[in-house]
């Protein structure tokens, strides 16, 4: 009989801790004993039904831990080794993965993002890593579990926009949205060599945190004329890159408007809305089609090589993501952690859940 473990399970639109069989490592898999986990709005979407999730699924897609069992066809890891895995676990072999678009593994809408959606996730005492040779990465000794926990989803997602945009060294980057993904875009834009980083939120508040992780100016829609301010800060030119990480459709035309001719608009958001599914482009601000502005939509890049690079930034002191972990819970309090993330209370960014 399989050993039992505690897991956070979706049941009828609600969640509860249940006892489930501990997963066993199949070929190509590694089972990890969880030491720390987190959750975000994607987990909320699974509970609400926005992300169709089968009843009985173990939630969660952000966790770190210790290698517990190694399946056949996996090499280079040892039992007891600290390890991390991205929230997206692509196969690394399909055409999209081989072309460098691992976020679209298999050609499906959510690609490799299956944890806690279409397969059991990591808000449990143990979880299985699929395609472990491609997705599992050791955590360096100098990186704490808390810091490493910010890599699987927050930094892996937020860094994708600035990295893909390839803005010039010393350039200006504007980030719309300062949730956990937007804050990660803020800190990684700085690490990638931005000379000026400007953040934009809907309402006042959170300026200190944005500045702590790398913003030179923290603006908000309630108090600032965003386009005028960015033109002023850039001597009229506009930003080299605008990252849209708010998920608010009205932010998309703003991002187009503040970007200079020849600049890049990197979209990290997933937009929804049944009434009007379209996005508007302000034609004059876009250069009426000849402004050499690139609109780049992108999904999380993952894989062990990339995760290793992101962990190296923490190990060498280039990034410190721990200020994003704003509340601490024991796993037995995970239901309360989910409730408080759902409430979107001001100042609360990410929970740190320890086992």
């Amino acid at each position: 009989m399989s050993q039992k473990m505690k897991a956070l399970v979706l049941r009828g639109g609600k969640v509860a801790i249940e006892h489930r069989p501990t997963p066993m490592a199949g070929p190509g898999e590694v089972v990890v004993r969880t030491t720390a986990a987190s959750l975000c709005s994607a987990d909320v979407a699974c509970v609400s039904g926005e992300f169709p999730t089968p009843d009985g699924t173990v939630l969660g897609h952000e966790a770190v831990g210790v290698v517990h069992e190694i399946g056949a066809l996996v090499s280079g890891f040892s039992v007891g080794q600290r390890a991390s895995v991205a929230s997206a676990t692509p196969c690394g072999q399909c055409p999209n993965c081989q072309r460098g678009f691992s976020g679209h593994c298999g050609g499906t809408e959510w690609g490799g993002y299956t944890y806690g959606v279409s397969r059991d996730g990591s808000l449990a005492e143990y979880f299985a890593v699929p395609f472990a040779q491609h997705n599992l990465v050791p955590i360096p000794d100098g990186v704490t579990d808390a810091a490493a926990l910010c890599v699987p989803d927050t930094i892996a997602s937020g860094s994708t926009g600035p990295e893909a945009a390839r803005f010039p060294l010393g350039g200006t980057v504007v980030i719309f949205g300062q949730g956990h993904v937007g804050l990660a875009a803020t800190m990684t834009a700085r690490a990638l060599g931005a000379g000026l980083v400007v953040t934009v939120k809907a309402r006042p508040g959170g300026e200190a945190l944005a500045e702590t992780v790398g913003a030179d100016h923290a603006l908000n829609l309630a108090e600032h004329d965003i386009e005028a301010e960015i033109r002023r800060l850039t001597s009229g030119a506009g930003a080299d890159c605008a990252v849209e990480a708010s998920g608010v459709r009205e932010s998309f035309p703003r991002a187009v408007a503040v970007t200079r001719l020849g600049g890049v608009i990197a979209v990290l958001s997933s937009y929804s809305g049944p009434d009007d599914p379209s996005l508007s482009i302000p034609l004059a601000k876009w250069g009426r089609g000849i402004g050499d502005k690139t609109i780049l939509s992108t999904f999380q890049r993952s894989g062990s090589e990339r995760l290793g690079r992101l962990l190296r930034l923490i190990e060498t002191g280039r990034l410190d993501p721990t200020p994003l972990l704003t509340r601490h819970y024991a796993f037995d309090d995970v239901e309360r952690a989910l409730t408080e993330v759902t409430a979107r209370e001001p100042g609360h960014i990410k929970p740190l859940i320890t086992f």
Side-chain angles (χ1 to χ4, degrees), residues 110-131:
W110 295 106
Y113 174 43
T114 58
Y115 267 142
V117 181
S118 58
R119 61 171 287 142
D120 282 345
S122 53
L123 278 170
E125 292 179 304
Y126 296 84
F127 64 94
V129 179
F131 310 109

Side-chain angles (χ1 to χ4, degrees), residues 202 221 244-254 269-271 279:
L221 299 176
E244 209 301 88
S246 73
V248 177
R249 283 188 291 172
E250 290 77 11
S251 291
F252 177 77
R254 291 190 186 102
S269 298
S270 172
Y271 300 107
L279 289 173

Side-chain angles (χ1 to χ4, degrees), residues 196-283:
L196 181 69
V197 178
V198 182
T199 62
V200 180
K201 289 184 62 182
R203 294 174 295 277
E207 290 86 357
L209 180 56
E211 291 165 356
T212 294
V213 301
D216 296 293
H217 300 274
L219 309 179
N220 66 77
L221 299 176
E223 298 176 334
H224 302 97
D225 180 331
I226 300 302
E227 186 177 353
E229 278 295 294
I230 291 170
R231 296 289 175 191
R232 183 183 67 81
L233 291 169
T234 59
S235 301
D240 295 286
C241 171
V243 178
E244 209 301 88
S246 73
V248 177
R249 283 188 291 172
E250 290 77 11
S251 291
F252 177 77
R254 291 190 186 102
V256 174
V258 303
T259 305
R260 70 184 302 153
L261 297 174
V264 177
I265 300 95
V267 181
L268 288 176
S269 298
S270 172
Y271 300 107
S272 61
D275 296 329
D276 179 10
S278 64
L279 289 173
S280 63
I281 297 177
L283 290 180

Side-chain angles (χ1 to χ4, degrees), residues 88-237:
T89 51
C91 69
Q93 302 172 38
C94 71
N96 279 352
C97 284
Q98 291 190 49
R99 292 175 64 234
F101 300 104
S102 58
H104 306 291
C105 176
T108 60
E109 182 178 8
W110 295 106
Y113 174 43
T114 58
Y115 267 142
V117 181
S118 58
R119 61 171 287 142
D120 282 345
S122 53
L123 278 170
E125 292 179 304
Y126 296 84
F127 64 94
V129 179
F131 310 109
Q133 200 71 57
H134 181 72
N135 292 309
L136 193 68
V137 61
I139 298 173
D141 290 340
V143 177
T144 65
D145 280 3
L149 179 61
C150 296
V151 172
D153 187 27
T154 297
I155 297 178
S157 295
S159 62
T160 297
E163 187 176 34
R166 299 178 181 271
F167 57 82
L169 183 66
T172 299
V173 179
V174 178
I175 295 100
F176 288 83
Q178 289 294 279
H180 70 113
V181 172
L183 285 162
T186 299
M187 67 175 70
T188 52
R190 170 70 71 200
L192 284 164
L196 181 69
V197 178
V198 182
T199 62
V200 180
K201 289 184 62 182
R203 294 174 295 277
E207 290 86 357
L209 180 56
E211 291 165 356
T212 294
V213 301
D216 296 293
H217 300 274
L219 309 179
N220 66 77
L221 299 176
E223 298 176 334
H224 302 97
D225 180 331
I226 300 302
E227 186 177 353
E229 278 295 294
I230 291 170
R231 296 289 175 191
R232 183 183 67 81
L233 291 169
T234 59
S235 301

Side-chain angles (χ1 to χ4, degrees), residues 264-304:
V264 177
I265 300 95
V267 181
L268 288 176
S269 298
S270 172
Y271 300 107
S272 61
D275 296 329
D276 179 10
S278 64
L279 289 173
S280 63
I281 297 177
L283 290 180
K285 305 296 184 181
W286 190 39
R288 302 190 185 278
I290 57 172
D292 284 303
K293 293 190 181 186
T294 299
I295 296 175
L296 174 67
S297 65
T298 185
F299 195 27
Q300 182 193 108
R301 305 289 192 260
S302 53
S304 59

